[in-house]
Amino acid sequence: MAKADYIPALRFEFLTRFYDPLVRYSTREFAFKNALLKQANLNENLKILDLACGTGTLSITVKKKFPKIEITGYDVDDEILKIARRKARIAHAEIDFEQGFSDDLPFKNETFDRVFSTLFFHHLTLERKHRTLKEILRILKPHGEFHLADFALPRNKSQFVLSKWIRLIDGFETTHDNLRGRLLALMQENGFEKVERTGYFKTIIGTIRLFKALKK
Ligand SMILES: C[S@@+](CC[C@H](N)C(=O)[O-])C[C@H]1O[C@@H](n2cnc3c(N)ncnc32)[C@H](O)[C@@H]1O
């Protein structure tokens, strides 16, 4: 994949190997990912996509809780997918990892019961956010659910100041709509139903908000 066309996990490829320890503490990773999984009411019979899975932490957590669940981790970056595959092997977690762009998914219509996306949308330009949301809707089954957690509207003034870190790291253009509080409206504009904010986590680099959205 052309590297110029996407922002790697920590913006610069050479930082990817430090992703897990940095994200664990700076984003309260386990707390917000477990909250997102809880709101998705998972069971063994579901087919799941972890979109822009990064190092695969969420996919592996799911697989440990539900060993028979069918889960695909998808990301554009082959370097981070190597880390994800290695972690999954060590955890004895059978996960199908695939590579590609989020706005051109290689899956048939109505394939998945749940799609998860964590710390990802702030990597996308507005145009790519729209295209990616359309793709998610296409590959979800009817009544399927989309669960998103990402940096979003800062909860208060100090969170607003701290969220400048995420602008600095991942760039003004892609973080702009997130931090203006536009994620919910974007999901509605692209055809999702019953879009709701389900929670928030204050972190040292800004507010992470959780959302749930349905396909009719
Ligand atoms: C900050 S990381 C989040 C990873 C993981 N979801 C997590 O919660 O730790 C963002 C990820 O998005 C991936 N990414 C960026 N642009 C992408 C695109 N257009 N399509 C698919 N993946 C993309 C990056 O490679 C990176 O792994």
Coordinates of all heavy atoms in Angstrom, one line a residue, residues 124-201:
L124 N -8.5 9.7 9.2 CA -9.1 9.8 7.8 C -9.4 11.3 7.5 O -10.0 12.0 8.3 CB -10.3 9.0 7.8 CG -10.2 7.5 8.0 CD1 -11.5 6.8 8.0 CD2 -9.3 6.9 6.9
T125 N -9.2 11.6 6.2 CA -9.7 12.9 5.7 C -11.3 12.8 5.7 O -11.8 11.7 5.8 CB -9.3 13.2 4.3 OG1 -9.8 12.1 3.5 CG2 -7.8 13.3 4.2
L126 N -11.9 14.0 5.6 CA -13.4 14.0 5.7 C -13.9 13.1 4.5 O -14.9 12.3 4.7 CB -13.9 15.4 5.5 CG -15.4 15.6 5.6 CD1 -16.0 15.0 6.9 CD2 -15.8 17.1 5.5
E127 N -13.4 13.3 3.4 CA -13.8 12.5 2.2 C -13.7 11.0 2.5 O -14.6 10.2 2.2 CB -13.0 12.9 1.0 CG -13.6 12.4 -0.3 CD -12.5 12.5 -1.4 OE1 -11.6 13.4 -1.3 OE2 -12.7 11.8 -2.4
R128 N -12.6 10.6 3.1 CA -12.4 9.2 3.4 C -13.3 8.7 4.5 O -13.7 7.5 4.6 CB -10.9 8.9 3.8 CG -10.0 8.7 2.6 CD -9.0 7.5 2.9 NE -8.6 6.9 1.7 CZ -7.4 6.9 1.2 NH1 -6.5 7.6 1.8 NH2 -7.1 6.3 0.1
K129 N -13.6 9.6 5.5 CA -14.5 9.3 6.5 C -15.9 8.9 5.9 O -16.5 7.8 6.3 CB -14.8 10.4 7.5 CG -13.6 10.7 8.5 CD -14.0 11.8 9.4 CE -13.0 12.1 10.6 NZ -11.7 12.6 10.3
H130 N -16.4 9.7 5.0 CA -17.6 9.4 4.3 C -17.6 8.1 3.6 O -18.5 7.3 3.7 CB -18.0 10.5 3.3 CG -18.6 11.8 3.9 ND1 -19.8 11.8 4.5 CD2 -18.1 13.0 4.1 CE1 -20.1 13.0 5.0 NE2 -19.0 13.8 4.7
R131 N -16.5 7.9 2.8 CA -16.5 6.7 2.0 C -16.4 5.4 2.9 O -17.0 4.4 2.6 CB -15.3 6.7 1.1 CG -15.4 7.8 -0.1 CD -14.6 7.4 -1.3 NE -13.2 7.2 -1.0 CZ -12.3 8.0 -1.3 NH1 -12.6 9.2 -1.9 NH2 -11.0 7.7 -1.0
T132 N -15.6 5.6 4.0 CA -15.5 4.4 4.9 C -16.8 4.1 5.6 O -17.2 2.9 5.7 CB -14.4 4.8 6.0 OG1 -13.1 4.9 5.3 CG2 -14.2 3.7 7.0
L133 N -17.5 5.1 6.0 CA -18.8 4.8 6.7 C -19.8 4.1 5.7 O -20.5 3.2 6.1 CB -19.4 6.2 7.2 CG -18.7 6.7 8.4 CD1 -19.2 8.2 8.7 CD2 -19.1 5.8 9.6
K134 N -19.7 4.5 4.4 CA -20.6 3.9 3.4 C -20.2 2.4 3.3 O -21.1 1.5 3.1 CB -20.5 4.6 2.1 CG -21.2 5.9 2.1 CD -21.4 6.5 0.7 CE -22.2 7.8 0.7 NZ -21.4 8.9 1.3
E135 N -18.9 2.2 3.3 CA -18.4 0.8 3.2 C -18.8 -0.1 4.4 O -19.2 -1.2 4.2 CB -16.9 0.8 3.0 CG -16.4 1.0 1.6 CD -16.8 -0.2 0.7 OE1 -17.9 -0.2 0.2 OE2 -15.9 -1.0 0.5
I136 N -18.8 0.5 5.6 CA -19.2 -0.2 6.8 C -20.6 -0.6 6.7 O -21.0 -1.7 7.0 CB -18.9 0.6 8.1 CG1 -17.4 0.9 8.2 CG2 -19.4 0.0 9.3 CD1 -17.0 1.9 9.3
L137 N -21.4 0.4 6.3 CA -22.9 0.1 6.1 C -23.1 -1.0 5.1 O -24.0 -1.9 5.3 CB -23.6 1.4 5.7 CG -25.1 1.4 6.0 CD1 -25.4 1.5 7.5 CD2 -25.7 2.7 5.4
R138 N -22.4 -1.0 4.0 CA -22.6 -2.0 3.0 C -22.3 -3.4 3.5 O -23.0 -4.4 3.2 CB -21.6 -1.7 1.8 CG -21.7 -2.6 0.6 CD -20.7 -2.3 -0.5 NE -19.3 -2.5 -0.1 CZ -18.7 -3.7 0.0 NH1 -19.4 -4.8 -0.2 NH2 -17.4 -3.7 0.3
I139 N -21.2 -3.6 4.3 CA -20.7 -4.9 4.7 C -21.4 -5.4 6.0 O -21.3 -6.6 6.3 CB -19.2 -5.0 4.8 CG1 -18.7 -3.9 5.7 CG2 -18.6 -4.9 3.4 CD1 -17.9 -4.4 6.8
L140 N -22.2 -4.5 6.6 CA -22.9 -5.0 7.8 C -24.2 -5.7 7.3 O -24.8 -5.3 6.4 CB -23.4 -3.8 8.7 CG -22.4 -3.3 9.8 CD1 -22.9 -2.0 10.4 CD2 -22.3 -4.4 10.9
K141 N -24.6 -6.7 8.1 CA -25.9 -7.4 7.8 C -27.0 -6.5 8.3 O -26.8 -5.6 9.1 CB -25.9 -8.7 8.6 CG -24.9 -9.8 8.2 CD -25.1 -11.0 9.1 CE -24.0 -12.0 8.8 NZ -24.0 -13.1 9.8
P142 N -28.2 -6.7 7.8 CA -29.4 -5.9 8.3 C -29.4 -6.1 9.8 O -29.2 -7.2 10.3 CB -30.6 -6.6 7.6 CG -30.0 -7.2 6.4 CD -28.6 -7.6 6.7
H143 N -29.7 -5.1 10.6 CA -29.7 -5.0 12.0 C -28.3 -5.2 12.6 O -28.2 -5.4 13.8 CB -30.6 -6.1 12.7 CG -32.0 -6.0 12.0 ND1 -32.8 -4.9 12.1 CD2 -32.7 -7.0 11.3 CE1 -33.9 -5.2 11.5 NE2 -33.9 -6.4 10.9
G144 N -27.3 -5.1 11.8 CA -25.9 -5.2 12.3 C -25.5 -3.9 13.0 O -26.2 -2.9 12.9
E145 N -24.5 -4.0 13.8 CA -24.1 -2.8 14.7 C -22.7 -2.3 14.4 O -21.8 -3.1 14.2 CB -24.2 -3.2 16.1 CG -25.6 -3.6 16.6 CD -25.7 -4.1 18.0 OE1 -24.7 -4.0 18.7 OE2 -26.7 -4.7 18.4
F146 N -22.6 -1.0 14.4 CA -21.2 -0.4 14.3 C -20.9 0.2 15.7 O -21.7 1.0 16.2 CB -21.3 0.7 13.2 CG -20.0 1.4 13.0 CD1 -18.8 0.8 13.1 CD2 -20.0 2.8 12.8 CE1 -17.6 1.5 13.0 CE2 -18.9 3.5 12.6 CZ -17.6 2.9 12.7
H147 N -19.7 -0.1 16.2 CA -19.3 0.4 17.5 C -18.0 1.1 17.3 O -17.0 0.5 16.9 CB -19.1 -0.7 18.5 CG -20.4 -1.4 18.8 ND1 -21.3 -1.0 19.8 CD2 -21.0 -2.5 18.2 CE1 -22.4 -1.8 19.8 NE2 -22.2 -2.7 18.8
L148 N -18.0 2.4 17.6 CA -16.8 3.3 17.4 C -16.3 3.9 18.6 O -17.1 4.4 19.4 CB -17.2 4.3 16.3 CG -16.2 5.3 15.9 CD1 -16.5 5.8 14.4 CD2 -16.1 6.5 16.8
A149 N -15.0 4.0 18.8 CA -14.4 4.8 19.9 C -13.3 5.6 19.3 O -12.4 5.0 18.6 CB -13.9 3.9 21.0
D150 N -13.3 6.9 19.5 CA -12.2 7.7 19.0 C -12.1 9.1 19.7 O -13.1 9.4 20.4 CB -12.4 7.9 17.5 CG -11.1 8.3 16.8 OD1 -10.0 8.3 17.4 OD2 -11.2 8.6 15.5
F151 N -11.1 9.8 19.5 CA -10.9 11.1 20.0 C -12.1 11.9 19.4 O -12.3 11.9 18.1 CB -9.6 11.7 19.6 CG -8.5 11.0 20.3 CD1 -7.7 10.0 19.7 CD2 -8.2 11.2 21.7 CE1 -6.7 9.4 20.3 CE2 -7.2 10.5 22.4 CZ -6.5 9.6 21.7
A152 N -12.7 12.7 20.2 CA -13.9 13.5 19.7 C -14.0 14.7 20.6 O -13.0 15.2 21.2 CB -15.1 12.6 19.9
L153 N -15.2 15.3 20.5 CA -15.4 16.6 21.2 C -14.9 16.6 22.6 O -15.3 15.8 23.4 CB -16.9 16.9 21.2 CG -17.3 18.3 21.7 CD1 -16.9 19.4 20.7 CD2 -18.8 18.4 22.0
P154 N -13.9 17.5 22.9 CA -13.3 17.5 24.3 C -14.4 17.8 25.3 O -15.3 18.6 25.1 CB -12.3 18.7 24.2 CG -12.1 18.9 22.8 CD -13.3 18.5 22.1
R155 N -14.3 17.1 26.4 CA -15.3 17.1 27.5 C -15.4 18.5 28.2 O -16.4 18.9 28.7 CB -15.1 16.0 28.4 CG -16.0 15.8 29.6 CD -17.3 15.2 29.2 NE -18.2 15.2 30.3 CZ -19.5 15.2 30.3 NH1 -20.1 15.2 29.2 NH2 -20.2 15.3 31.4
N156 N -14.2 19.1 28.4 CA -14.1 20.4 29.1 C -12.9 21.1 28.6 O -12.2 20.7 27.7 CB -14.1 20.2 30.6 CG -13.0 19.2 31.0 OD1 -11.9 19.2 30.4 ND2 -13.2 18.5 32.1
K157 N -12.6 22.3 29.3 CA -11.5 23.1 28.8 C -10.2 22.5 28.9 O -9.4 22.6 28.0 CB -11.5 24.4 29.6 CG -12.4 25.5 29.0 CD -12.1 26.8 29.6 CE -13.1 27.9 29.0 NZ -13.3 29.0 29.8
S158 N -9.9 21.8 30.0 CA -8.6 21.1 30.1 C -8.4 20.0 29.1 O -7.4 19.8 28.5 CB -8.3 20.6 31.5 OG -9.3 19.7 31.9
Q159 N -9.6 19.3 28.8 CA -9.5 18.3 27.8 C -9.3 18.9 26.4 O -8.6 18.3 25.5 CB -10.8 17.4 27.8 CG -10.9 16.5 28.9 CD -10.0 15.3 28.7 OE1 -10.3 14.4 27.9 NE2 -8.9 15.2 29.5
F160 N -9.9 20.1 26.2 CA -9.7 20.8 24.9 C -8.2 21.1 24.7 O -7.6 20.9 23.7 CB -10.5 22.1 24.9 CG -10.2 23.0 23.7 CD1 -10.7 22.6 22.5 CD2 -9.4 24.1 23.8 CE1 -10.5 23.4 21.4 CE2 -9.1 24.9 22.7 CZ -9.7 24.5 21.5
V161 N -7.5 21.5 25.8 CA -6.1 21.9 25.7 C -5.3 20.6 25.5 O -4.4 20.5 24.6 CB -5.6 22.6 27.0 CG1 -4.1 22.8 27.0 CG2 -6.3 23.9 27.2
L162 N -5.6 19.5 26.2 CA -4.9 18.3 26.0 C -5.1 17.7 24.6 O -4.2 17.0 24.1 CB -5.3 17.2 27.1 CG -4.9 17.6 28.5 CD1 -5.6 16.7 29.5 CD2 -3.3 17.4 28.7
S163 N -6.2 17.9 24.0 CA -6.5 17.3 22.7 C -5.6 17.9 21.6 O -5.5 17.4 20.5 CB -8.0 17.5 22.3 OG -8.3 18.8 22.1
K164 N -4.9 19.0 22.0 CA -4.0 19.6 21.0 C -2.9 18.5 20.7 O -2.3 18.6 19.6 CB -3.4 20.9 21.5 CG -4.4 22.0 21.6 CD -3.7 23.3 21.7 CE -4.7 24.4 22.0 NZ -5.7 24.8 21.0
W165 N -2.6 17.6 21.6 CA -1.6 16.6 21.4 C -2.0 15.8 20.2 O -1.1 15.4 19.3 CB -1.4 15.7 22.6 CG -0.6 16.3 23.7 CD1 -1.0 16.7 24.9 CD2 0.8 16.5 23.7 NE1 0.0 17.2 25.6 CE2 1.2 17.1 24.9 CE3 1.8 16.4 22.7 CZ2 2.5 17.5 25.2 CZ3 3.1 16.7 23.0 CH2 3.4 17.3 24.2
I166 N -3.2 15.4 20.1 CA -3.7 14.5 19.1 C -3.7 15.2 17.7 O -3.3 14.6 16.7 CB -5.0 13.8 19.4 CG1 -5.1 12.4 18.8 CG2 -6.2 14.6 19.1 CD1 -4.1 11.4 19.3
R167 N -4.0 16.5 17.8 CA -3.8 17.3 16.5 C -2.4 17.4 16.1 O -2.1 17.2 14.9 CB -4.2 18.8 16.8 CG -5.7 19.0 16.6 CD -6.0 20.5 16.8 NE -7.3 20.7 17.2 CZ -8.3 21.0 16.4 NH1 -8.1 21.1 15.1 NH2 -9.5 21.2 16.8
L168 N -1.5 17.5 17.0 CA -0.1 17.6 16.7 C 0.4 16.3 16.2 O 1.2 16.2 15.2 CB 0.7 17.9 18.1 CG 1.9 18.7 18.0 CD1 1.6 20.2 17.5 CD2 2.6 18.8 19.4
I169 N 0.0 15.2 16.8 CA 0.5 13.9 16.4 C -0.1 13.5 15.0 O 0.7 13.1 14.1 CB 0.2 12.8 17.4 CG1 0.9 13.1 18.8 CG2 0.6 11.4 16.9 CD1 0.3 12.3 19.9
D170 N -1.4 13.6 14.9 CA -2.0 13.0 13.7 C -2.4 14.1 12.6 O -3.0 13.7 11.6 CB -3.2 12.1 14.1 CG -2.6 10.8 14.7 OD1 -1.6 10.3 14.2 OD2 -3.2 10.4 15.7
G171 N -2.2 15.3 13.0 CA -2.5 16.4 11.9 C -3.8 17.1 12.1 O -4.8 16.5 12.6
F172 N -3.9 18.3 11.7 CA -5.0 19.1 11.8 C -6.2 18.7 11.0 O -7.3 18.5 11.4 CB -4.7 20.6 11.5 CG -5.8 21.5 11.7 CD1 -6.1 22.0 13.0 CD2 -6.7 21.9 10.7 CE1 -7.2 22.9 13.2 CE2 -7.8 22.7 10.9 CZ -8.0 23.2 12.1
E173 N -5.9 18.3 9.7 CA -7.0 18.1 8.8 C -7.8 16.8 9.2 O -9.1 16.9 9.2 CB -6.4 17.8 7.4 CG -7.5 17.7 6.3 CD -7.0 17.2 5.0 OE1 -5.8 17.0 4.8 OE2 -7.9 16.9 4.1
T174 N -7.2 15.7 9.6 CA -7.9 14.5 9.8 C -8.6 14.5 11.2 O -9.6 13.9 11.4 CB -7.0 13.3 9.7 OG1 -5.9 13.4 10.6 CG2 -6.5 13.1 8.3
T175 N -8.0 15.3 12.1 CA -8.6 15.3 13.5 C -9.7 16.3 13.6 O -10.5 16.3 14.6 CB -7.5 15.6 14.6 OG1 -6.9 16.9 14.2 CG2 -6.5 14.5 14.6
H176 N -9.8 17.2 12.7 CA -10.7 18.4 12.8 C -12.1 18.0 13.1 O -12.7 18.5 14.0 CB -10.5 19.2 11.5 CG -11.3 20.5 11.6 ND1 -11.0 21.5 12.4 CD2 -12.4 20.9 10.8 CE1 -11.9 22.5 12.3 NE2 -12.7 22.2 11.3
D177 N -12.7 17.2 12.2 CA -14.1 16.9 12.4 C -14.4 16.1 13.6 O -15.4 16.2 14.3 CB -14.7 16.2 11.1 CG -14.7 17.1 10.0 OD1 -15.7 17.9 9.9 OD2 -13.8 17.1 9.1
N178 N -13.5 15.2 14.0 CA -13.6 14.5 15.3 C -13.7 15.5 16.4 O -14.7 15.4 17.2 CB -12.3 13.7 15.5 CG -12.3 12.3 14.8 OD1 -12.4 12.4 13.6 ND2 -12.3 11.2 15.5
L179 N -12.8 16.4 16.5 CA -12.7 17.3 17.7 C -13.8 18.3 17.7 O -14.1 18.9 18.7 CB -11.3 17.9 17.8 CG -10.1 16.9 17.9 CD1 -8.8 17.6 18.0 CD2 -10.3 16.0 19.1
R180 N -14.4 18.6 16.5 CA -15.6 19.5 16.5 C -16.9 18.8 16.9 O -17.9 19.4 16.9 CB -15.7 20.0 15.1 CG -14.9 21.3 14.8 CD -15.1 21.7 13.3 NE -16.5 22.0 13.0 CZ -17.1 21.7 11.9 NH1 -16.4 21.0 10.9 NH2 -18.4 22.0 11.7
G181 N -16.8 17.5 17.1 CA -18.0 16.8 17.5 C -18.8 16.3 16.4 O -20.1 16.3 16.5
R182 N -18.2 16.0 15.2 CA -19.0 15.7 14.0 C -19.2 14.3 13.7 O -19.9 13.9 12.8 CB -18.3 16.4 12.8 CG -18.4 17.9 12.7 CD -19.5 18.4 11.9 NE -19.5 17.8 10.5 CZ -20.5 17.3 9.8 NH1 -21.7 17.3 10.4 NH2 -20.4 16.9 8.6
L183 N -18.7 13.4 14.6 CA -18.7 11.9 14.2 C -20.2 11.4 14.2 O -20.6 10.7 13.3 CB -17.9 11.1 15.2 CG -16.4 11.2 15.1 CD1 -15.7 10.5 16.2 CD2 -16.0 10.7 13.7
L184 N -21.0 11.8 15.2 CA -22.4 11.3 15.2 C -23.1 11.7 13.9 O -23.8 10.9 13.3 CB -23.0 11.8 16.5 CG -24.4 11.3 16.7 CD1 -24.6 11.0 18.2 CD2 -25.5 12.3 16.3
A185 N -23.0 13.0 13.6 CA -23.7 13.5 12.4 C -23.2 12.8 11.1 O -24.0 12.5 10.2 CB -23.5 15.0 12.3
L186 N -21.9 12.5 11.1 CA -21.4 11.9 9.9 C -22.0 10.5 9.7 O -22.3 10.0 8.6 CB -19.8 11.7 10.0 CG -19.1 13.0 9.7 CD1 -17.6 12.8 10.0 CD2 -19.2 13.5 8.3
M187 N -22.1 9.8 10.8 CA -22.7 8.4 10.8 C -24.2 8.5 10.3 O -24.6 7.8 9.4 CB -22.7 7.7 12.1 CG -21.3 7.3 12.5 SD -21.3 6.4 14.0 CE -20.3 7.5 15.0
Q188 N -24.9 9.5 10.8 CA -26.3 9.7 10.4 C -26.4 10.1 8.9 O -27.2 9.5 8.1 CB -27.0 10.8 11.2 CG -27.2 10.4 12.6 CD -27.7 11.6 13.5 OE1 -27.3 12.7 13.2 NE2 -28.5 11.3 14.5
E189 N -25.5 11.0 8.5 CA -25.5 11.4 7.1 C -25.2 10.3 6.1 O -25.7 10.3 4.9 CB -24.4 12.5 6.8 CG -24.8 13.9 7.3 CD -23.5 14.8 7.4 OE1 -22.6 14.6 6.7 OE2 -23.5 15.6 8.3
N190 N -24.5 9.2 6.6 CA -24.2 8.1 5.7 C -25.1 6.9 5.9 O -24.8 5.8 5.4 CB -22.7 7.7 5.9 CG -21.8 8.8 5.2 OD1 -21.7 8.8 4.0 ND2 -21.2 9.7 6.0
G191 N -26.3 7.1 6.5 CA -27.3 6.1 6.5 C -27.5 5.3 7.7 O -28.3 4.4 7.8
F192 N -26.6 5.5 8.8 CA -26.8 4.7 10.0 C -28.1 5.2 10.8 O -28.4 6.4 10.7 CB -25.6 4.9 10.9 CG -24.4 4.0 10.4 CD1 -23.5 4.6 9.5 CD2 -24.3 2.7 10.8 CE1 -22.4 3.8 9.1 CE2 -23.3 1.9 10.3 CZ -22.3 2.5 9.4
E193 N -28.7 4.3 11.5 CA -29.9 4.6 12.3 C -29.5 4.5 13.8 O -28.6 3.9 14.2 CB -30.9 3.5 12.0 CG -31.3 3.3 10.6 CD -32.5 4.1 10.2 OE1 -33.4 4.3 11.0 OE2 -32.5 4.6 9.0
K194 N -30.4 5.2 14.5 CA -30.2 5.2 16.0 C -28.8 5.4 16.5 O -28.3 4.6 17.3 CB -30.7 3.8 16.5 CG -32.2 3.6 16.3 CD -32.7 2.4 17.1 CE -34.2 2.3 16.9 NZ -34.8 1.1 17.3
V195 N -28.2 6.4 15.9 CA -26.8 6.7 16.3 C -26.8 7.3 17.7 O -27.5 8.3 17.9 CB -26.1 7.6 15.3 CG1 -24.6 7.8 15.6 CG2 -26.3 7.1 13.9
E196 N -26.0 6.8 18.6 CA -26.0 7.4 19.9 C -24.6 7.4 20.5 O -23.7 6.6 20.2 CB -26.9 6.6 20.9 CG -26.7 5.2 20.9 CD -27.6 4.4 21.9 OE1 -27.9 4.9 23.0 OE2 -28.0 3.3 21.5
R197 N -24.4 8.5 21.3 CA -23.1 8.5 22.1 C -23.4 7.7 23.4 O -24.4 7.9 24.1 CB -22.8 10.0 22.6 CG -22.5 10.9 21.5 CD -22.0 12.2 22.1 NE -21.8 13.2 21.0 CZ -22.7 14.0 20.5 NH1 -23.9 14.0 21.0 NH2 -22.4 14.8 19.4
T198 N -22.4 6.8 23.6 CA -22.7 5.8 24.7 C -21.7 6.0 25.9 O -21.9 5.4 26.9 CB -22.5 4.4 24.2 OG1 -21.3 4.3 23.5 CG2 -23.7 4.0 23.3
G199 N -20.8 6.9 25.8 CA -19.9 7.1 26.9 C -18.7 7.9 26.5 O -18.5 8.2 25.3
Y200 N -17.9 8.3 27.5 CA -16.6 9.0 27.2 C -15.6 8.7 28.2 O -15.9 8.3 29.4 CB -16.9 10.5 27.1 CG -17.2 11.1 28.5 CD1 -16.3 11.6 29.4 CD2 -18.6 11.2 28.8 CE1 -16.6 12.1 30.6 CE2 -18.9 11.7 30.1 CZ -17.9 12.2 31.0 OH -18.3 12.6 32.2
F201 N -14.3 8.9 27.8 CA -13.2 8.6 28.7 C -12.2 9.8 28.6 O -11.8 10.2 27.5 CB -12.4 7.4 28.3 CG -13.2 6.1 28.7 CD1 -14.2 5.7 27.9 CD2 -12.8 5.4 29.8 CE1 -14.9 4.5 28.3 CE2 -13.5 4.3 30.2 CZ -14.6 3.8 29.4

